[in-house]
């Protein structure tokens, strides 16, 4: 499946050398090899290129015929024959203290790392079988200063003995912890926790608190503390018959994986735990046989099988799949540099050793590994591997991961797993074109790459129509014929992962297995889309397209213009300089904004058009919801599909959203004027839908509004006028002059109705509109002299005519914007019907006498004449003058005041021009009711001498009452003013009206012994003081400063 590592032998013992390799240690460019004779060999590891190594990992030492000199993998620098008396079982270093730690002959010894001289043999470690070293950077809990702390843990029978170094200084104290049973393996989990693998299981030891916690797990991993359990773990006569029987119990292996994750392995059972010893929810590693050693070389899990098999397995720690099996004859040791010695990703080079050979495992480039997985069809492994690798180690990690996931989704789609495929496409924000082209032409149109698109969707459409629309015409039966075919497969294929065989066996069996999987995929692709499959695929595609629409809205405005990109949105993820929206685009874009904008519009058009096709196939009733929002659907496609399905309402909504108003209104006019027997679109018959559509159009489209408003106005004037009279912003902001001219051409009554609306309801003060309304009123009244009027402007009856005339009179009285001269010139002089309008216009012109002459002599309506006088008198009266002043003005200074409107009316009654005669009854009635408003001197001159004084009794009584009222009112006002003066003096002098009566001359302040000046803050004592209106007290000498400070504060306010 994968070639993650290549084995290159770097050390091979010669045949005459009878030594055996027992332990190895690599650090920097040094390699220490411990032999069974107690000798220590120090090698220098030379750098080498990949092309100089062996191809198969086993023949790297053979001499080749190449002309270029080969670089030796290692150089032997030194051999210490007397390093130890017995076999060197284990080696480690404490780099910060420059120490080498070794285990030999049951003792742990400390050596100098430079000279390898023995410094100390730890006597306490007699009988030791294993040790572990760790180094970590810790911060002081008080000062926060970081330092390097190293620890050495040694297992001596049932004791765990610990030494520690702070930087390079050895701590004099040692810690001993008693374990339930002897530990066979030690693995540091953290800087303070160590995992001890025993025959009975595992325990987690906290070296600071000395707490021991059991780790429970499946099979032989979790045994009770202190009991020998698991495979070959029984204790009895048979178990004790032979010495060394306990060695048959498999060791408890452990290795650290990623940060905070640890793998435990015993026999074939495994358990993933965290740093606290709690089990993680992961399945067991599917090992066929128990490994002899395990390790972790970023980012792979390593397992070394028993020497008889001589194989190293490389697995993915996330999926646990077997990626590579490397043949290493008789390999018995696996040495991976400690995490504290090298960074995680720097540990790609590790060592494997047999008793005669040491191999250096060289890692291939991650890009090559991922390419190999993708080419072989193992997309899940490729995705997992990309996720494990750090961003800095893989160029374009995000883009690479996204591409592999899209390939995975495409394979799932080909396998009819539409939901899983579209979920992945949505997760990675796949380009819509890449997803849409997987569908047949019924969905993707010309973009489809599916072969054999021969109309299976027709049957689906028919079923959907029957379900959603229930058409009256009987639906046609689905066509029998070949169904739709999905896209063709690529050369790669998915291969079932084998966890129990090596890479060689995979090569032997891979052809048959791969061919089977390939044939399965081919068969799936060769099958046509069934109606059910297509509908399921479309339902999942809808969710993807809706998500794509949401993403497009971040970059495009509803009108198709590009939104200004913010810094956070215009950059890609992980600091990439590539704009984020380019992941959505179909093709690469240039640096120009206009090109990006065009590409985004094309992509938005593709998304919305495809979403519309999905709705029309799966659920046509939902298509209307797409048109009620801003969209980029292709008008030709939508028009064709909706007309085919007879969904005219949705088509109108679409035209409105795309601002194709003429097409929408022509469609509404066609169906609105249809005859009743035509049942094609009964809900569009009549002008109601057209009127509602026109009401939503902006004023800029006034020409279209007027063009298509004509037929509703002629068919139903009241409904049609709602286009112009509705209480909406569009109706109120229409160009009014164009509307008036349009309505006048149809019916002047409609123009009158519109003018009344804009003048009375909208308070339009344009003089031309007021003049126009007056002209229209007068024209209709003059052309229709009664009920016998002819034409469309004729009144139905006299009541309607009276209402119309009252409207004219009311408008003439209320409006001040029309031209008085033009209106007066249009009013007939001798027509009785226009007497009152002439009087109103004359009144507006200030010709009150002429207006009263019309009321008195032409109309002979004395009540209206008197009412007219009342209105004029009130309008001339000053709004701020009191009734007393008004009466006083009409009672005194009669010689200087101008004659009132009542005097003018009285003169028309008593002194008319010839040949008219005086009219005493209305004159006497006027005197009796308004005598107080008629000056006595000028009034008595108009009264005939022959009139008895008795007839003037009511007039004189009114005059006397008016004068008496003025006198009495003056007395009352004088008394009130005296009362007001008294109250003001009481408030100023005595403080009346204040809550605490501490005002006026009664105001007082208390100066105690502790009271200080508000300015200098010294005690007031018996000093001369100054009291301010707010009762604050200061020294007399500080008063000026206090006053200046108060003035400054007031000035700032």
């Amino acid at each position: 499946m994968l070639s993650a590592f290549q084995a290159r032998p770097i050390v091979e013992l010669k045949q005459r050398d009878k030594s055996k390799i027992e332990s190895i240690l690599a650090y920097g460019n040094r390699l220490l090899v411990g032999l069974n004779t107690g000798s220590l060999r120090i090698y220098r590891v030379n750098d080498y290129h990949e092309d100089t190594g062996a191809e198969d990992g086993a023949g790297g030492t053979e001499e080749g015929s190449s002309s270029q000199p080969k670089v030796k993998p290692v150089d032997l620098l030194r051999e210490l024959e007397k390093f130890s008396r017995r076999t060197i079982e284990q080696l480690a270093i404490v780099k910060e203290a420059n120490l080498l730690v070794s285990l030999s002959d049951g003792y742990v010894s400390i050596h100098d790392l430079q000279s390898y001289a023995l410094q100390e043999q730890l006597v306490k470690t007699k009988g030791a079988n294993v040790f572990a070293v760790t180094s970590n950077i810790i911060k002081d809990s008080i000062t926060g200063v970081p330092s390097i702390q190293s620890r050495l843990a040694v297992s001596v029978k049932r004791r765990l003995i610990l030494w520690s170094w702070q930087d390079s200084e050895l701590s004099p104290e040692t810690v001993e912890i008693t374990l339930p049973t002897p530990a066979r393996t030690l693995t540091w989990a953290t800087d303070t926790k160590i995992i001890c693998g025993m025959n009975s299981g595992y325990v987690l030891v906290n070296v600071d608190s000395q707490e021991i916690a059991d780790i429970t797990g499946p099979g032989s991993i979790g045994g009770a503390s202190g009991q020998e359990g698991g495979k070959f773990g029984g204790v009895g006569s048979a178990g004790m018959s032979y010495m060394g029987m306990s060695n048959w119990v498999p060791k408890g292996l452990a290795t650290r994986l990623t940060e905070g994750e640890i793998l435990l392995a015993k026999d074939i059972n495994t358990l993933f735990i965290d740093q606290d010893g709690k089990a993680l929810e992961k399945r067991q590693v599917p090992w066929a046989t128990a490994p002899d050693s395990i390790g972790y070389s970023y980012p792979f899990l390593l397992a070394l099988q028993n020497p008889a098999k001589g194989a190293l397995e490389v697995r993915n720690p996330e999926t646990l799949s077997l990626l590579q099996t490397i043949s290493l004859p008789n390999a018995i040791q696996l040495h991976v540099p400690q995490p504290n010695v090298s960074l995680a990703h720097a540990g790609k080079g590790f060592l494997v050793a047999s008793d005669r050979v040491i191999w250096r495992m060289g890692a291939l480039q991650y890009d090559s590994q991922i390419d190999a997985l993708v080419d072989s069809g193992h997309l899940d492994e490729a995705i997992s591997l990309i996720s494990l690798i750090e961003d800095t180690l893989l160029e374009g990690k995000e883009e690479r991961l996204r591409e592999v996931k899209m390939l995975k989704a495409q394979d799932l789609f080909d396998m009819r797993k539409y939901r899983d495929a579209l979920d992945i496409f949505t997760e990675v924000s796949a380009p819509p074109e890449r997803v849409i082209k997987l569908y047949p032409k019924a969905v993707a149109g010309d973009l489809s790459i599916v072969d054999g698109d021969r109309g299976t969707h027709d049957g689906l459409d028919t079923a959907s129509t029957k379900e959603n629309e229930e058409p009256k015409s009987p639906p046609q039966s689905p066509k029998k014929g070949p169904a739709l075919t999905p896209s063709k497969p690529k050369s790669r294929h998915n291969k079932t992962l084998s966890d129990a065989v090596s890479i060689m066996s995979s090569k032997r069996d891979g052809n048959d297995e791969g061919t089977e999987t390939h044939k399965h995929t081919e068969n799936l692709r060769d099958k046509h889309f069934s109606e059910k499959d297509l509908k399921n695929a479309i339902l999942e595609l809808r969710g993807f397209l809706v998500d794509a629409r949401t993403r497009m809205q971040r970059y495009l405005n509803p009108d198709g213009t590009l939104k200004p990109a913010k810094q956070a949105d215009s950059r890609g993820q992980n600091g990439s300089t590539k704009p984020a929206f380019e992941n959505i685009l179909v093709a690469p874009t240039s640096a120009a904004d206009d090109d990006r904008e065009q590409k985004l519009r094309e992509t938005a058009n593709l998304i919305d058009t495809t979403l519309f096709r999905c709705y029309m196939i799966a659920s046509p009733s939902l298509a209307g919801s797409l048109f009620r929002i801003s969209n980029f659907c292709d008008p030709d496609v939508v028009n064709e599909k909706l007309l085919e399905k007879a969904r005219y309402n949705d088509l109108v909504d679409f035209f409105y959203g795309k601002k194709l108003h003429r097409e929408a209104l022509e469609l509404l006019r066609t169906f609105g004027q249809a005859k009743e027997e035509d049942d094609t679109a009964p809900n569009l018959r009549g002008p109601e839908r057209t009127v509602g559509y026109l009401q939503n159009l902006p004023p800029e489209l006034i020409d279209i509004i007027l063009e298509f408003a004509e037929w509703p106005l002629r068919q139903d004037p009241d409904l049609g006028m709602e286009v112009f009279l509705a209480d909406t912003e569009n109706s109120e902001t229409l160009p009014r002059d164009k509307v008036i001219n349009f309505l006048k051409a149809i019916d002047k009554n409609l123009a009158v109705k519109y003018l009344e609306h804009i003048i009375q309801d909208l308070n339009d003060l344009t003089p031309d509109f007021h003049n126009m309304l007056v002209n229209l009123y007068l024209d209709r009244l003059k052309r229709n002299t009664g009920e016998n009027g002819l034409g469309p402007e004729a009144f139905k009856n006299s009541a309607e005519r009276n209402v119309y005339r009252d409207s004219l009179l009311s408008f003439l009285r209320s409006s001040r914007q029309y031209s008085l001269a033009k209106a007066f010139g249009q009013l007939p002089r001798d027509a009785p019907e226009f007497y009152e309008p002439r009087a109103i216009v004359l009144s507006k012109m200030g010709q009150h006498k002429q207006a009263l002459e019309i009321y008195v002599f032409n109309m002979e309506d004395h009540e209206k004449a008197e009412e007219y006088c009342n209105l004029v008198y009130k309008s001339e009266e000053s709004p701020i003058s009191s009734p007393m002043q008004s009466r006083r003005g009409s009672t005194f200074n009669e010689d200087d005041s101008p004659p009132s409107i009542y005097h003018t009316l009285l003169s028309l009654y008593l002194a008319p021009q010839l040949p008219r005669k005086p009219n005493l009854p209305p004159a006497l009635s006027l005197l009796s009711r308004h005598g107080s408003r008629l000056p006595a001197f000028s009034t008595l001159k108009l009264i005939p001498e022959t009139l008895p004084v008795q007839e003037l009794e009511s007039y004189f009584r009114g005059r006397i009452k008016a004068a008496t009222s003025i006198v009495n009112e003056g007395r009352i006002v004088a008394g009130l003013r005296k009362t007001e003066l008294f109250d003001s003096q009481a408030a100023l002098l005595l403080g009346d009206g204040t809550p605490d009566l501490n005002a006026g001359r009664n105001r007082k302040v208390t100066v105690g012994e502790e009271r200080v000046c508000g300015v200098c803050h010294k005690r007031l004592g018996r000093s001369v003081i100054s009291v301010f209106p707010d009762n604050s007290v200061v020294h007399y000498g500080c008063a000026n400063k206090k006053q200046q400070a108060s003035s400054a504060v007031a000035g700032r306010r």
Side-chain angles (χ1 to χ4, degrees):
M1 179 192 301
L2 178 66
S3 295
F5 298 97
Q6 287 185 348
R8 182 171 184 263
I10 59 175
V11 174
E12 288 185 282
L13 300 184
K14 298 178 180 180
Q15 292 183 358
R16 63 176 177 270
D17 190 349
K18 302 304 180 181
S19 304
K20 293 184 179 180
I21 300 174
E22 295 291 340
S23 59
I24 57 177
L25 172 65
Y27 66 96
N29 64 345
R30 293 291 187 270
L31 173 62
L32 305 184
V33 180
L35 304 178
N36 62 339
T37 61
S39 299
L40 178 68
R41 293 181 181 176
I42 299 95
Y43 294 90
R44 181 180 64 225
V45 181
N46 300 320
D47 294 334
Y48 71 100
H49 300 286
E50 295 293 338
D51 53 0
T52 62
E55 295 280 339
D56 56 0
T61 60
E62 297 181 2
E63 296 182 359
S65 60
S66 175
S67 61
Q68 296 180 357
K70 291 186 177 180
V71 179
K72 289 184 179 181
V74 295
D75 293 324
L76 179 61
L77 301 180
R78 187 177 177 185
E79 181 175 0
L80 302 177
E81 296 182 355
K82 301 300 182 181
F83 185 80
S84 176
R85 294 181 301 174
R86 299 292 179 88
T87 300
I88 304 174
E89 301 176 11
Q90 188 176 355
L91 294 171
I93 63 170
V94 182
K95 187 175 181 180
E96 292 72 23
N98 199 29
L99 298 177
L100 173 64
V101 184
S102 66
L103 172 61
S104 177
D105 196 20
Y107 285 94
V108 174
S109 303
I110 305 297
H111 308 262
D112 183 84
L113 188 58
Q114 300 299 326
S115 63
Y116 306 105
L118 177 64
Q119 291 187 354
E120 181 183 1
Q121 187 179 62
L122 303 180
V123 180
K124 289 184 178 182
T125 63
K126 182 180 180 181
N129 62 324
V130 67
F131 70 86
V133 177
T134 185
S135 296
N136 300 276
I137 298 176
I138 61 173
K139 289 185 178 181
D140 188 271
S141 59
I142 300 176
T143 62
V145 177
S147 61
I148 299 178
Q149 185 183 60
S150 301
R151 294 181 189 269
L152 169 63
V154 183
S155 173
V156 181
K157 297 181 180 179
R158 292 181 56 188
R159 293 180 300 157
L160 182 65
I161 308 175
L162 296 109
W163 287 264
S164 63
W165 286 263
Q166 195 73 22
D167 290 332
S168 60
E169 298 296 330
L170 175 64
S171 176
E173 299 179 357
T174 60
V175 178
E176 294 189 15
I177 302 174
T178 302
L179 301 176
T181 57
R184 299 182 63 187
T185 60
L186 297 176
T187 305
W188 284 99
T190 64
D191 59 333
T192 59
K193 295 180 181 179
I194 188 170
I195 297 175
C196 301
M198 304 173 293
N199 291 339
S200 59
Y202 293 87
V203 293
L204 181 67
V205 180
N206 190 320
V207 297
D208 287 342
S209 62
Q210 300 186 14
E211 294 179 356
I212 301 176
D214 291 331
I215 299 176
T216 59
S220 58
I221 288 181
S225 299
Q227 296 182 3
E228 298 291 334
K231 190 174 182 180
F232 301 110
V235 178
S237 59
M240 296 299 294
S241 298
Y242 301 97
M243 294 181 62
M245 192 75 172
S246 60
N247 290 332
W248 292 3
V249 179
K251 292 192 300 183
L253 307 178
T255 184
R256 292 174 59 178
L257 302 177
T258 56
E259 187 66 26
E261 187 175 347
I262 302 168
L263 172 64
L264 306 181
K266 190 172 185 182
D267 198 5
I268 59 173
N269 298 308
T270 58
L271 178 67
F272 291 89
I273 62 172
D274 59 11
Q275 295 177 350
D276 297 326
K278 297 180 180 178
L280 303 177
E281 295 294 333
K282 294 184 69 173
R283 65 187 182 94
Q284 293 196 25
V285 180
W287 280 317
T289 59
D292 279 7
S293 180
I294 62 174
Y296 178 75
S297 180
Y298 180 88
F300 299 106
L301 173 62
L302 309 173
L304 184 62
Q305 299 295 336
N306 57 62
K309 188 172 183 180
L312 175 68
E313 293 184 357
V314 181
R315 292 180 179 269
N316 186 325
E318 293 295 330
T319 62
L320 306 180
S321 303
L322 179 63
L323 302 179
Q324 183 181 10
T325 301
I326 304 173
S327 177
L328 300 172
N330 301 319
I332 56 175
Q333 294 186 52
L334 174 63
H335 174 71
V336 181
Q338 302 174 11
N340 60 291
V341 174
S342 60
L343 297 176
H345 59 266
K348 295 186 293 184
F350 60 94
L351 302 177
V352 179
S354 66
D355 55 358
R356 305 290 297 176
V357 183
I358 300 176
W359 291 273
R360 183 178 183 180
M361 310 305 296
L364 298 180
Q365 294 293 330
Y366 293 126
D367 291 324
S368 302
Q369 298 180 26
I370 295 170
D371 291 338
L373 289 173
V374 173
D375 293 339
S376 61
H378 298 98
L379 300 178
D380 289 328
E381 295 301 325
I383 293 172
S384 177
L385 182 58
I386 296 174
S387 302
L388 290 174
I389 298 174
E390 296 179 6
D391 297 347
T392 56
L393 302 179
L394 187 62
E395 183 178 359
K397 174 182 176 179
E398 294 297 330
E399 291 78 5
R400 194 73 180 274
L401 179 61
R402 180 171 178 262
E403 177 62 27
V404 177
K405 284 187 176 180
M406 286 191 287
L407 293 175
K408 173 65 177 176
Q410 188 167 339
D411 275 2
L412 291 174
F413 188 90
D414 295 336
M415 298 171 65
R416 302 293 194 265
K417 297 180 180 180
Y418 304 117
R419 174 169 294 182
D420 297 337
L422 271 298
D423 286 345
I424 296 177
F425 278 132
T426 303
E427 175 190 350
V428 301
S429 301
E433 180 188 9
R434 185 165 182 172
V435 180
I436 294 170
K437 69 181 181 182
L438 301 176
Y439 285 79
K441 289 185 178 180
V443 177
D446 296 336
L447 190 64
S448 174
I449 60 173
V450 177
D451 296 333
D453 184 15
R454 288 181 287 273
T456 301
H457 58 282
D458 294 341
L460 186 57
D461 287 354
T462 303
S464 300
T465 303
K466 181 177 180 181
E467 179 182 355
N468 294 280
E469 293 185 355
E470 295 292 339
K472 295 184 178 180
S473 60
Q476 299 179 358
S477 61
K479 296 181 181 180
K480 304 285 186 179
L484 303 176
T485 306
S487 58
K488 294 183 179 180
K490 299 183 179 179
S491 59
R492 57 181 174 79
H493 59 276
N494 291 332
K495 181 168 64 175
T496 305
L497 302 182
S498 175
D499 294 327
V501 296
S502 66
I503 205 67
M504 292 183 292
S505 63
S506 296
K507 289 181 179 179
R508 290 193 302 268
D509 302 335
N511 292 332
D512 297 337
E513 180 188 359
T515 303
E516 262 182 43
T517 309
H518 186 71
K519 288 180 179 179
H520 177 66
T521 307
E522 287 287 351
N523 292 336
L524 286 177
R525 289 175 180 267
D526 290 339
K527 289 183 179 179
H528 303 304
F529 272 116
S530 66
E531 180 178 326
K532 182 179 180 181
D533 284 341
L534 181 59
K535 191 168 184 178
N536 291 336
I538 288 174
L539 291 176
E540 301 302 330
L541 178 62
R542 278 164 42 183
F544 170 80
L545 294 175
V546 170
D547 179 76
R549 288 190 87 254
T550 304
R551 287 185 281 121
M552 290 298 299
Q553 291 172 0
R554 302 174 188 171
Y555 313 110
L556 273 184
N557 292 312
D559 58 354
T561 58
L562 191 64
K563 289 184 177 180
K566 298 180 180 178
Q567 186 69 16
D569 296 335
S570 62
R571 298 289 181 181
Q573 297 180 353
N574 300 324
S576 174
T577 58
K578 180 179 179 182
F581 61 77
E582 290 190 5
N583 291 332
I584 311 174
L585 301 182
V586 172
T589 61
S590 67
D593 287 341
D594 54 352
D595 182 50
R596 290 173 177 170
E597 182 176 329
Q598 179 63 25
K599 292 292 184 181
L600 283 170
R601 280 198 297 266
E602 292 175 0
T603 306
N605 177 272
L606 175 63
I607 293 172
D608 288 350
T609 304
T610 307
L611 183 59
F612 163 73
R613 288 192 177 110
C614 293
Y615 283 141
M616 293 304 296
I617 293 176
S619 50
S621 59
L622 297 179
S625 61
L626 180 62
F627 305 145
R628 298 185 186 99
I629 58 178
S630 59
N631 63 83
F632 296 90
C633 293
D634 187 348
D636 296 335
V637 175
V638 174
N639 189 31
E640 177 186 355
K641 290 292 183 182
L642 292 180
L643 288 178
E644 179 183 343
K645 296 294 183 181
R647 300 193 67 85
Y648 303 110
N649 279 318
D650 293 339
L651 185 57
V652 171
D653 292 338
F654 173 74
F655 283 148
Y656 178 81
K658 302 301 289 185
K659 298 183 179 180
L660 301 174
H661 303 300
R662 180 172 296 277
E663 290 80 356
L665 291 169
E666 287 176 352
L667 182 67
L668 290 174
R669 180 169 59 185
T670 300
F671 291 108
Q673 295 178 344
K675 298 181 180 180
E676 295 184 0
E677 55 269 16
D678 186 2
D679 58 351
T680 304
N683 54 346
L684 297 181
R685 191 179 300 119
E688 292 84 0
R689 188 67 189 276
T690 300
V691 171
Y693 192 99
L694 292 173
Q695 286 177 342
N696 292 321
L697 295 183
E700 295 79 13
L701 302 176
I702 183 62
D703 295 334
I704 294 180
I705 294 174
L706 298 181
E707 177 183 353
F708 289 94
E710 182 175 356
W711 77 269
L713 286 170
R714 296 189 183 279
Q715 184 171 342
D716 190 344
D718 292 336
L719 179 61
M721 282 300 295
E722 289 299 318
V723 177
F724 311 106
L725 305 183
D727 187 15
T728 62
E729 183 178 359
N730 290 337
S731 299
E732 295 176 1
T733 54
L734 291 173
R736 294 170 182 175
D737 52 347
K738 291 186 177 182
V739 175
I740 293 171
N741 295 331
F742 168 73
L743 295 176
K744 286 172 64 177
I746 298 177
D747 188 353
K748 291 183 178 180
N749 293 332
L750 300 179
V752 170
K753 192 173 183 181
Y754 180 72
L755 286 169
E756 290 176 344
H757 170 69
I758 63 175
I759 292 174
Q760 298 173 7
D761 298 339
L762 304 182
N763 195 27
D764 193 318
L765 302 179
T766 305
D768 292 341
F769 295 157
H770 289 249
N771 290 330
M772 194 177 300
L773 182 57
V774 172
N775 294 339
L776 291 174
Y777 277 141
L778 295 177
D779 287 346
R780 188 179 183 191
L781 288 172
K782 288 189 290 185
R783 293 179 183 178
N784 299 272
T785 57
E787 297 183 10
N788 297 325
L790 301 177
E793 299 180 2
F795 295 109
K796 297 179 181 179
N797 47 46
S798 59
E800 183 182 357
R801 181 183 181 84
N802 291 336
V803 171
Y804 198 80
R805 182 174 175 273
D806 291 341
S807 299
L808 171 63
L809 297 177
S810 175
F811 180 73
L812 291 175
R813 290 191 185 98
S814 59
S815 176
R816 297 184 179 182
Q817 305 302 322
Y818 63 89
S819 175
L820 299 176
K822 291 181 180 180
F824 186 76
Q826 292 181 2
L827 292 171
R829 185 181 184 86
D830 299 329
E833 190 175 13
F834 295 98
Y835 285 159
E836 188 170 0
R838 285 176 59 86
I840 293 174
V841 175
L842 288 172
S843 173
K844 291 278 187 178
M845 299 171 66
Q847 304 296 329
H848 301 299
K849 184 176 181 181
Q850 296 180 16
L852 287 174
E853 287 178 351
I854 293 175
Y855 283 117
V856 173
F857 300 123
N858 294 344
M859 298 177 60
E860 297 181 356
D861 192 338
H862 305 297
E863 293 182 359
K864 286 189 176 181
E866 186 175 345
E867 183 180 352
Y868 176 81
C869 292
N870 293 336
L871 293 175
V872 173
Y873 182 82
K874 290 180 180 180
S875 63
E876 292 178 350
E877 189 178 30
S878 175
I880 60 174
S881 60
S882 64
M884 183 185 71
Q885 293 173 337
S886 176
R887 288 191 294 269
R888 184 182 294 127
S890 63
T891 305
F892 303 102
N893 300 326
E894 297 177 351
D895 296 338
D896 298 334
S897 60
S900 66
I901 186 66
Y902 296 102
H903 185 272
T904 303
L905 178 59
L906 184 63
S907 65
L908 293 177
Y909 285 146
L910 299 179
Q913 294 181 355
L914 296 176
R916 296 185 178 90
K917 297 180 180 181
N919 193 350
L920 289 177
L924 294 176
S925 176
L926 181 65
L927 288 172
S928 63
R929 283 195 293 272
H930 303 283
S932 61
R933 298 173 179 174
L934 291 170
F937 180 76
S938 58
T939 301
L940 293 176
K941 287 184 178 181
L942 295 175
I943 296 175
E945 296 180 356
T946 58
L947 183 68
V949 178
Q950 184 179 0
E951 299 292 339
L952 300 175
E953 180 181 0
S954 59
Y955 167 69
F956 290 121
R957 286 183 181 274
R959 295 291 299 175
I960 294 171
K961 287 182 179 180
T964 305
S965 298
I966 293 173
V967 174
N968 293 336
E969 185 176 352
R971 292 174 180 174
I972 294 173
V973 170
L976 291 174
R977 286 179 176 173
K978 289 181 180 180
T979 303
E980 183 181 7
L981 177 62
F982 180 80
D983 292 341
S984 300
Q985 291 176 347
L988 292 173
L989 299 177
L990 304 178
D992 290 352
T994 57
D996 54 356
L997 298 180
N998 187 21
R1001 292 185 176 179
N1002 290 332
R1003 188 162 63 99
K1004 60 181 180 298
V1005 294
T1006 302
V1007 180
E1009 293 183 358
E1010 301 299 328
R1011 189 158 185 173
V1012 298
C1013 175
V1015 177
C1016 64
H1017 304 291
K1018 296 179 181 180
R1019 294 177 58 188
L1020 295 174
R1022 298 181 179 274
S1023 303
V1024 180
I1025 61 174
S1026 180
V1027 182
F1028 283 85
D1030 60 351
N1031 289 337
S1032 60
V1033 182
V1034 299
H1035 289 111
Y1036 184 77
C1038 299
N1040 291 335
K1041 294 181 180 179
K1042 171 73 174 177
Q1043 202 164 8
Q1044 292 174 0
S1046 301
S1047 302
V1049 172
R1052 285 195 298 268
R1053 292 179 181 175

